[in-house]
Amino acid sequence: MSKILFVVTGADHWTLADGTQHPTGFWAEEAVAPYEAFKAAGHEIVVATPGGVVPTVDQASLAPEVNGGQEAADKIAATLAESSEFLEPLKLAEVDLAEYAAVFYPGGHGPMEDLAVDADSGRLLATALETGMPLGVVCHGPAALLAATTQDGSNAFAGYELTGFTNAEETQAGFAEKAKWLLQDRLVAAGVDFQEGTPWAPKVVVDRNLITGQNPASAAPLADELVKKLA
């Protein structure tokens, strides 16, 4: 059994370009699908958030229409309610990365608010990348990569092939025109080799120890890839 660190947004809103706060948090499927996959493979999960706040699930991610029906939505909600790890998170600043075998970041719009500018998260990501630790990041989770810089000020992930929530998907979701910035644009500006797939279809990109997924549908296949690296 290995310990996997879940780094989860502590934000419960996303500030839009006009200053309004859109209620959000982490996206349920992107946390639950990997959680279940890692548990099934025998791994222990520890959750950490900025400040150790209990993470907020985006209520939109519990809707039947994004989970394939009411039964599946209820199952995801029940899993989150029964998973004590999400109710007792560590403070991100106090995490000792040496205790873990892998790191995983779920998405939701929350990371756009806090993890994108969180220095503790940025240092953790840069260290995980440098040491070769398996690192999984999905959907809007790659916003956290923007805070990972090297000593010369460049982004630690520059030159890596990766994916994340695309401009096309943000447009179709109705937020592109409302956002202060778009994830794909910022990642490209940071120097990554962004791999864009079909909107809403599963897409996973593996480059060395980094595993990224484009959207919620990519969370489960990303988890499978991470489990392989721990086998």
PDB file of all heavy atoms in Angstrom, residues 93-125:
ATOM      1  N   ALA A  93       0.487  23.621   3.542  1.00  0.00           N
ATOM      2  CA  ALA A  93       1.811  24.141   3.890  1.00  0.00           C
ATOM      3  C   ALA A  93       2.591  23.205   4.805  1.00  0.00           C
ATOM      4  O   ALA A  93       3.817  23.302   4.899  1.00  0.00           O
ATOM      5  CB  ALA A  93       1.682  25.513   4.547  1.00  0.00           C
ATOM      6  N   GLU A  94       1.881  22.289   5.487  1.00  0.00           N
ATOM      7  CA  GLU A  94       2.540  21.404   6.443  1.00  0.00           C
ATOM      8  C   GLU A  94       2.787  20.001   5.891  1.00  0.00           C
ATOM      9  O   GLU A  94       3.272  19.121   6.613  1.00  0.00           O
ATOM     10  CB  GLU A  94       1.688  21.313   7.711  1.00  0.00           C
ATOM     11  CG  GLU A  94       1.538  22.660   8.421  1.00  0.00           C
ATOM     12  CD  GLU A  94       0.632  22.603   9.640  1.00  0.00           C
ATOM     13  OE1 GLU A  94       0.086  21.509   9.923  1.00  0.00           O
ATOM     14  OE2 GLU A  94       0.467  23.645  10.295  1.00  0.00           O
ATOM     15  N   VAL A  95       2.478  19.772   4.621  1.00  0.00           N
ATOM     16  CA  VAL A  95       2.641  18.448   4.015  1.00  0.00           C
ATOM     17  C   VAL A  95       4.118  18.112   3.838  1.00  0.00           C
ATOM     18  O   VAL A  95       4.902  18.951   3.369  1.00  0.00           O
ATOM     19  CB  VAL A  95       1.924  18.388   2.648  1.00  0.00           C
ATOM     20  CG1 VAL A  95       2.365  17.173   1.853  1.00  0.00           C
ATOM     21  CG2 VAL A  95       0.416  18.362   2.847  1.00  0.00           C
ATOM     22  N   ASP A  96       4.503  16.901   4.212  1.00  0.00           N
ATOM     23  CA  ASP A  96       5.842  16.378   3.952  1.00  0.00           C
ATOM     24  C   ASP A  96       5.731  15.430   2.762  1.00  0.00           C
ATOM     25  O   ASP A  96       5.260  14.303   2.885  1.00  0.00           O
ATOM     26  CB  ASP A  96       6.373  15.634   5.178  1.00  0.00           C
ATOM     27  CG  ASP A  96       7.782  15.075   4.955  1.00  0.00           C
ATOM     28  OD1 ASP A  96       8.347  15.269   3.861  1.00  0.00           O
ATOM     29  OD2 ASP A  96       8.303  14.433   5.884  1.00  0.00           O
ATOM     30  N   LEU A  97       6.174  15.908   1.602  1.00  0.00           N
ATOM     31  CA  LEU A  97       5.991  15.140   0.374  1.00  0.00           C
ATOM     32  C   LEU A  97       6.695  13.788   0.426  1.00  0.00           C
ATOM     33  O   LEU A  97       6.287  12.842  -0.255  1.00  0.00           O
ATOM     34  CB  LEU A  97       6.503  15.953  -0.816  1.00  0.00           C
ATOM     35  CG  LEU A  97       6.056  15.502  -2.211  1.00  0.00           C
ATOM     36  CD1 LEU A  97       4.541  15.494  -2.323  1.00  0.00           C
ATOM     37  CD2 LEU A  97       6.671  16.393  -3.277  1.00  0.00           C
ATOM     38  N   ALA A  98       7.711  13.675   1.259  1.00  0.00           N
ATOM     39  CA  ALA A  98       8.469  12.424   1.351  1.00  0.00           C
ATOM     40  C   ALA A  98       7.621  11.266   1.882  1.00  0.00           C
ATOM     41  O   ALA A  98       7.989  10.099   1.728  1.00  0.00           O
ATOM     42  CB  ALA A  98       9.686  12.619   2.257  1.00  0.00           C
ATOM     43  N   GLU A  99       6.490  11.578   2.496  1.00  0.00           N
ATOM     44  CA  GLU A  99       5.613  10.538   3.040  1.00  0.00           C
ATOM     45  C   GLU A  99       4.717   9.892   1.979  1.00  0.00           C
ATOM     46  O   GLU A  99       4.013   8.927   2.260  1.00  0.00           O
ATOM     47  CB  GLU A  99       4.730  11.124   4.140  1.00  0.00           C
ATOM     48  CG  GLU A  99       5.501  11.636   5.353  1.00  0.00           C
ATOM     49  CD  GLU A  99       4.577  12.214   6.409  1.00  0.00           C
ATOM     50  OE1 GLU A  99       3.334  12.153   6.221  1.00  0.00           O
ATOM     51  OE2 GLU A  99       5.084  12.730   7.418  1.00  0.00           O
ATOM     52  N   TYR A 100       4.752  10.439   0.760  1.00  0.00           N
ATOM     53  CA  TYR A 100       3.792  10.001  -0.258  1.00  0.00           C
ATOM     54  C   TYR A 100       4.484   9.381  -1.472  1.00  0.00           C
ATOM     55  O   TYR A 100       5.639   9.675  -1.765  1.00  0.00           O
ATOM     56  CB  TYR A 100       2.922  11.186  -0.697  1.00  0.00           C
ATOM     57  CG  TYR A 100       2.167  11.777   0.470  1.00  0.00           C
ATOM     58  CD1 TYR A 100       2.710  12.827   1.215  1.00  0.00           C
ATOM     59  CD2 TYR A 100       0.952  11.251   0.873  1.00  0.00           C
ATOM     60  CE1 TYR A 100       2.054  13.344   2.315  1.00  0.00           C
ATOM     61  CE2 TYR A 100       0.274  11.762   1.972  1.00  0.00           C
ATOM     62  CZ  TYR A 100       0.836  12.801   2.686  1.00  0.00           C
ATOM     63  OH  TYR A 100       0.179  13.301   3.785  1.00  0.00           O
ATOM     64  N   ALA A 101       3.707   8.539  -2.162  1.00  0.00           N
ATOM     65  CA  ALA A 101       4.225   7.876  -3.362  1.00  0.00           C
ATOM     66  C   ALA A 101       3.737   8.549  -4.634  1.00  0.00           C
ATOM     67  O   ALA A 101       4.298   8.328  -5.717  1.00  0.00           O
ATOM     68  CB  ALA A 101       3.805   6.408  -3.370  1.00  0.00           C
ATOM     69  N   ALA A 102       2.686   9.357  -4.526  1.00  0.00           N
ATOM     70  CA  ALA A 102       2.121  10.022  -5.691  1.00  0.00           C
ATOM     71  C   ALA A 102       1.280  11.206  -5.232  1.00  0.00           C
ATOM     72  O   ALA A 102       0.877  11.298  -4.065  1.00  0.00           O
ATOM     73  CB  ALA A 102       1.257   9.061  -6.505  1.00  0.00           C
ATOM     74  N   VAL A 103       0.998  12.108  -6.169  1.00  0.00           N
ATOM     75  CA  VAL A 103       0.187  13.290  -5.892  1.00  0.00           C
ATOM     76  C   VAL A 103      -0.900  13.388  -6.960  1.00  0.00           C
ATOM     77  O   VAL A 103      -0.651  13.132  -8.136  1.00  0.00           O
ATOM     78  CB  VAL A 103       1.031  14.580  -5.897  1.00  0.00           C
ATOM     79  CG1 VAL A 103       0.149  15.801  -5.622  1.00  0.00           C
ATOM     80  CG2 VAL A 103       2.160  14.503  -4.888  1.00  0.00           C
ATOM     81  N   PHE A 104      -2.103  13.780  -6.533  1.00  0.00           N
ATOM     82  CA  PHE A 104      -3.208  13.938  -7.478  1.00  0.00           C
ATOM     83  C   PHE A 104      -3.956  15.237  -7.201  1.00  0.00           C
ATOM     84  O   PHE A 104      -4.242  15.563  -6.045  1.00  0.00           O
ATOM     85  CB  PHE A 104      -4.177  12.753  -7.379  1.00  0.00           C
ATOM     86  CG  PHE A 104      -5.415  12.935  -8.214  1.00  0.00           C
ATOM     87  CD1 PHE A 104      -5.350  12.867  -9.595  1.00  0.00           C
ATOM     88  CD2 PHE A 104      -6.634  13.209  -7.609  1.00  0.00           C
ATOM     89  CE1 PHE A 104      -6.484  13.075 -10.366  1.00  0.00           C
ATOM     90  CE2 PHE A 104      -7.775  13.413  -8.376  1.00  0.00           C
ATOM     91  CZ  PHE A 104      -7.700  13.344  -9.755  1.00  0.00           C
ATOM     92  N   TYR A 105      -4.269  15.964  -8.266  1.00  0.00           N
ATOM     93  CA  TYR A 105      -5.040  17.207  -8.188  1.00  0.00           C
ATOM     94  C   TYR A 105      -6.338  17.079  -8.981  1.00  0.00           C
ATOM     95  O   TYR A 105      -6.304  17.006 -10.202  1.00  0.00           O
ATOM     96  CB  TYR A 105      -4.254  18.369  -8.803  1.00  0.00           C
ATOM     97  CG  TYR A 105      -3.219  19.027  -7.941  1.00  0.00           C
ATOM     98  CD1 TYR A 105      -2.065  18.355  -7.552  1.00  0.00           C
ATOM     99  CD2 TYR A 105      -3.349  20.362  -7.546  1.00  0.00           C
ATOM    100  CE1 TYR A 105      -1.085  18.973  -6.783  1.00  0.00           C
ATOM    101  CE2 TYR A 105      -2.372  20.989  -6.777  1.00  0.00           C
ATOM    102  CZ  TYR A 105      -1.248  20.295  -6.402  1.00  0.00           C
ATOM    103  OH  TYR A 105      -0.289  20.913  -5.642  1.00  0.00           O
ATOM    104  N   PRO A 106      -7.507  17.046  -8.329  1.00  0.00           N
ATOM    105  CA  PRO A 106      -8.764  17.136  -9.068  1.00  0.00           C
ATOM    106  C   PRO A 106      -9.024  18.585  -9.478  1.00  0.00           C
ATOM    107  O   PRO A 106      -8.377  19.509  -8.975  1.00  0.00           O
ATOM    108  CB  PRO A 106      -9.805  16.653  -8.057  1.00  0.00           C
ATOM    109  CG  PRO A 106      -9.222  17.021  -6.726  1.00  0.00           C
ATOM    110  CD  PRO A 106      -7.727  16.892  -6.882  1.00  0.00           C
ATOM    111  N   GLY A 107     -10.000  18.756 -10.382  1.00  0.00           N
ATOM    112  CA  GLY A 107     -10.302  20.100 -10.853  1.00  0.00           C
ATOM    113  C   GLY A 107     -11.570  20.677 -10.258  1.00  0.00           C
ATOM    114  O   GLY A 107     -11.835  20.559  -9.068  1.00  0.00           O
ATOM    115  N   GLY A 108     -12.388  21.272 -11.128  1.00  0.00           N
ATOM    116  CA  GLY A 108     -13.432  22.184 -10.705  1.00  0.00           C
ATOM    117  C   GLY A 108     -12.882  23.586 -10.894  1.00  0.00           C
ATOM    118  O   GLY A 108     -11.670  23.770 -11.051  1.00  0.00           O
ATOM    119  N   HIS A 109     -13.727  24.591 -10.896  1.00  0.00           N
ATOM    120  CA  HIS A 109     -13.219  25.955 -11.101  1.00  0.00           C
ATOM    121  C   HIS A 109     -12.455  26.491  -9.887  1.00  0.00           C
ATOM    122  O   HIS A 109     -11.768  27.507  -9.992  1.00  0.00           O
ATOM    123  CB  HIS A 109     -14.364  26.909 -11.452  1.00  0.00           C
ATOM    124  CG  HIS A 109     -14.774  26.852 -12.892  1.00  0.00           C
ATOM    125  ND1 HIS A 109     -16.011  26.402 -13.315  1.00  0.00           N
ATOM    126  CD2 HIS A 109     -14.109  27.191 -14.016  1.00  0.00           C
ATOM    127  CE1 HIS A 109     -16.087  26.466 -14.623  1.00  0.00           C
ATOM    128  NE2 HIS A 109     -14.945  26.935 -15.086  1.00  0.00           N
ATOM    129  N   GLY A 110     -12.573  25.806  -8.744  1.00  0.00           N
ATOM    130  CA  GLY A 110     -11.890  26.278  -7.540  1.00  0.00           C
ATOM    131  C   GLY A 110     -10.398  26.530  -7.707  1.00  0.00           C
ATOM    132  O   GLY A 110      -9.887  27.565  -7.243  1.00  0.00           O
ATOM    133  N   PRO A 111      -9.644  25.607  -8.334  1.00  0.00           N
ATOM    134  CA  PRO A 111      -8.205  25.842  -8.501  1.00  0.00           C
ATOM    135  C   PRO A 111      -7.864  27.125  -9.256  1.00  0.00           C
ATOM    136  O   PRO A 111      -6.776  27.679  -9.081  1.00  0.00           O
ATOM    137  CB  PRO A 111      -7.744  24.607  -9.287  1.00  0.00           C
ATOM    138  CG  PRO A 111      -8.701  23.538  -8.891  1.00  0.00           C
ATOM    139  CD  PRO A 111     -10.024  24.250  -8.772  1.00  0.00           C
ATOM    140  N   MET A 112      -8.797  27.610 -10.088  1.00  0.00           N
ATOM    141  CA  MET A 112      -8.564  28.863 -10.801  1.00  0.00           C
ATOM    142  C   MET A 112      -8.499  30.030  -9.814  1.00  0.00           C
ATOM    143  O   MET A 112      -7.860  31.047 -10.087  1.00  0.00           O
ATOM    144  CB  MET A 112      -9.691  29.109 -11.806  1.00  0.00           C
ATOM    145  CG  MET A 112      -9.878  28.014 -12.849  1.00  0.00           C
ATOM    146  SD  MET A 112      -8.780  28.168 -14.257  1.00  0.00           S
ATOM    147  CE  MET A 112      -9.628  29.437 -15.194  1.00  0.00           C
ATOM    148  N   GLU A 113      -9.148  29.858  -8.659  1.00  0.00           N
ATOM    149  CA  GLU A 113      -9.217  30.922  -7.659  1.00  0.00           C
ATOM    150  C   GLU A 113      -8.032  30.886  -6.703  1.00  0.00           C
ATOM    151  O   GLU A 113      -7.454  31.938  -6.399  1.00  0.00           O
ATOM    152  CB  GLU A 113     -10.517  30.803  -6.859  1.00  0.00           C
ATOM    153  CG  GLU A 113     -10.756  31.903  -5.845  1.00  0.00           C
ATOM    154  CD  GLU A 113     -11.159  33.221  -6.481  1.00  0.00           C
ATOM    155  OE1 GLU A 113     -11.638  33.222  -7.637  1.00  0.00           O
ATOM    156  OE2 GLU A 113     -11.001  34.260  -5.820  1.00  0.00           O
ATOM    157  N   ASP A 114      -7.674  29.683  -6.207  1.00  0.00           N
ATOM    158  CA  ASP A 114      -6.637  29.642  -5.167  1.00  0.00           C
ATOM    159  C   ASP A 114      -5.343  28.926  -5.578  1.00  0.00           C
ATOM    160  O   ASP A 114      -4.245  29.479  -5.430  1.00  0.00           O
ATOM    161  CB  ASP A 114      -7.184  29.047  -3.864  1.00  0.00           C
ATOM    162  CG  ASP A 114      -7.691  27.622  -3.972  1.00  0.00           C
ATOM    163  OD1 ASP A 114      -7.757  27.065  -5.085  1.00  0.00           O
ATOM    164  OD2 ASP A 114      -8.043  27.036  -2.910  1.00  0.00           O
ATOM    165  N   LEU A 115      -5.422  27.727  -6.107  1.00  0.00           N
ATOM    166  CA  LEU A 115      -4.201  26.961  -6.371  1.00  0.00           C
ATOM    167  C   LEU A 115      -3.354  27.569  -7.488  1.00  0.00           C
ATOM    168  O   LEU A 115      -2.138  27.375  -7.521  1.00  0.00           O
ATOM    169  CB  LEU A 115      -4.550  25.510  -6.707  1.00  0.00           C
ATOM    170  CG  LEU A 115      -5.209  24.723  -5.575  1.00  0.00           C
ATOM    171  CD1 LEU A 115      -5.532  23.308  -6.022  1.00  0.00           C
ATOM    172  CD2 LEU A 115      -4.323  24.698  -4.327  1.00  0.00           C
ATOM    173  N   ALA A 116      -3.982  28.325  -8.372  1.00  0.00           N
ATOM    174  CA  ALA A 116      -3.237  28.959  -9.471  1.00  0.00           C
ATOM    175  C   ALA A 116      -2.203  29.953  -8.955  1.00  0.00           C
ATOM    176  O   ALA A 116      -1.236  30.268  -9.662  1.00  0.00           O
ATOM    177  CB  ALA A 116      -4.200  29.662 -10.421  1.00  0.00           C
ATOM    178  N   VAL A 117      -2.396  30.434  -7.724  1.00  0.00           N
ATOM    179  CA  VAL A 117      -1.475  31.428  -7.157  1.00  0.00           C
ATOM    180  C   VAL A 117      -0.948  30.993  -5.794  1.00  0.00           C
ATOM    181  O   VAL A 117      -0.407  31.805  -5.045  1.00  0.00           O
ATOM    182  CB  VAL A 117      -2.161  32.808  -7.021  1.00  0.00           C
ATOM    183  CG1 VAL A 117      -2.465  33.379  -8.404  1.00  0.00           C
ATOM    184  CG2 VAL A 117      -3.462  32.711  -6.208  1.00  0.00           C
ATOM    185  N   ASP A 118      -1.070  29.707  -5.469  1.00  0.00           N
ATOM    186  CA  ASP A 118      -0.662  29.209  -4.157  1.00  0.00           C
ATOM    187  C   ASP A 118       0.804  28.763  -4.186  1.00  0.00           C
ATOM    188  O   ASP A 118       1.151  27.780  -4.842  1.00  0.00           O
ATOM    189  CB  ASP A 118      -1.559  28.049  -3.739  1.00  0.00           C
ATOM    190  CG  ASP A 118      -1.345  27.643  -2.288  1.00  0.00           C
ATOM    191  OD1 ASP A 118      -0.290  27.049  -1.998  1.00  0.00           O
ATOM    192  OD2 ASP A 118      -2.236  27.910  -1.459  1.00  0.00           O
ATOM    193  N   ALA A 119       1.650  29.471  -3.453  1.00  0.00           N
ATOM    194  CA  ALA A 119       3.084  29.189  -3.484  1.00  0.00           C
ATOM    195  C   ALA A 119       3.423  27.826  -2.880  1.00  0.00           C
ATOM    196  O   ALA A 119       4.323  27.133  -3.363  1.00  0.00           O
ATOM    197  CB  ALA A 119       3.849  30.287  -2.747  1.00  0.00           C
ATOM    198  N   ASP A 120       2.711  27.420  -1.832  1.00  0.00           N
ATOM    199  CA  ASP A 120       2.966  26.110  -1.224  1.00  0.00           C
ATOM    200  C   ASP A 120       2.674  24.995  -2.224  1.00  0.00           C
ATOM    201  O   ASP A 120       3.447  24.052  -2.361  1.00  0.00           O
ATOM    202  CB  ASP A 120       2.098  25.930   0.028  1.00  0.00           C
ATOM    203  CG  ASP A 120       2.466  26.894   1.138  1.00  0.00           C
ATOM    204  OD1 ASP A 120       3.676  27.105   1.360  1.00  0.00           O
ATOM    205  OD2 ASP A 120       1.546  27.431   1.777  1.00  0.00           O
ATOM    206  N   SER A 121       1.555  25.112  -2.909  1.00  0.00           N
ATOM    207  CA  SER A 121       1.199  24.131  -3.927  1.00  0.00           C
ATOM    208  C   SER A 121       2.219  24.150  -5.059  1.00  0.00           C
ATOM    209  O   SER A 121       2.634  23.098  -5.557  1.00  0.00           O
ATOM    210  CB  SER A 121      -0.199  24.433  -4.477  1.00  0.00           C
ATOM    211  OG  SER A 121      -0.496  23.599  -5.574  1.00  0.00           O
ATOM    212  N   GLY A 122       2.636  25.338  -5.460  1.00  0.00           N
ATOM    213  CA  GLY A 122       3.611  25.451  -6.537  1.00  0.00           C
ATOM    214  C   GLY A 122       4.922  24.762  -6.203  1.00  0.00           C
ATOM    215  O   GLY A 122       5.499  24.050  -7.040  1.00  0.00           O
ATOM    216  N   ARG A 123       5.403  24.940  -4.970  1.00  0.00           N
ATOM    217  CA  ARG A 123       6.653  24.294  -4.548  1.00  0.00           C
ATOM    218  C   ARG A 123       6.486  22.780  -4.510  1.00  0.00           C
ATOM    219  O   ARG A 123       7.389  22.027  -4.914  1.00  0.00           O
ATOM    220  CB  ARG A 123       7.064  24.824  -3.168  1.00  0.00           C
ATOM    221  CG  ARG A 123       7.688  26.210  -3.208  1.00  0.00           C
ATOM    222  CD  ARG A 123       8.316  26.572  -1.870  1.00  0.00           C
ATOM    223  NE  ARG A 123       7.303  26.754  -0.830  1.00  0.00           N
ATOM    224  CZ  ARG A 123       6.718  27.927  -0.563  1.00  0.00           C
ATOM    225  NH1 ARG A 123       7.038  28.997  -1.270  1.00  0.00           N
ATOM    226  NH2 ARG A 123       5.823  28.021   0.407  1.00  0.00           N
ATOM    227  N   LEU A 124       5.333  22.316  -4.019  1.00  0.00           N
ATOM    228  CA  LEU A 124       5.066  20.888  -3.947  1.00  0.00           C
ATOM    229  C   LEU A 124       5.067  20.277  -5.348  1.00  0.00           C
ATOM    230  O   LEU A 124       5.661  19.217  -5.582  1.00  0.00           O
ATOM    231  CB  LEU A 124       3.730  20.658  -3.249  1.00  0.00           C
ATOM    232  CG  LEU A 124       3.304  19.217  -2.974  1.00  0.00           C
ATOM    233  CD1 LEU A 124       2.468  19.166  -1.702  1.00  0.00           C
ATOM    234  CD2 LEU A 124       2.497  18.639  -4.126  1.00  0.00           C
ATOM    235  N   LEU A 125       4.423  20.936  -6.282  1.00  0.00           N
ATOM    236  CA  LEU A 125       4.362  20.436  -7.656  1.00  0.00           C
ATOM    237  C   LEU A 125       5.747  20.382  -8.288  1.00  0.00           C
ATOM    238  O   LEU A 125       6.109  19.399  -8.949  1.00  0.00           O
ATOM    239  CB  LEU A 125       3.442  21.325  -8.493  1.00  0.00           C
ATOM    240  CG  LEU A 125       1.949  21.135  -8.273  1.00  0.00           C
ATOM    241  CD1 LEU A 125       1.168  22.302  -8.859  1.00  0.00           C
ATOM    242  CD2 LEU A 125       1.487  19.825  -8.896  1.00  0.00           C
TER     243      LEU A 125
END
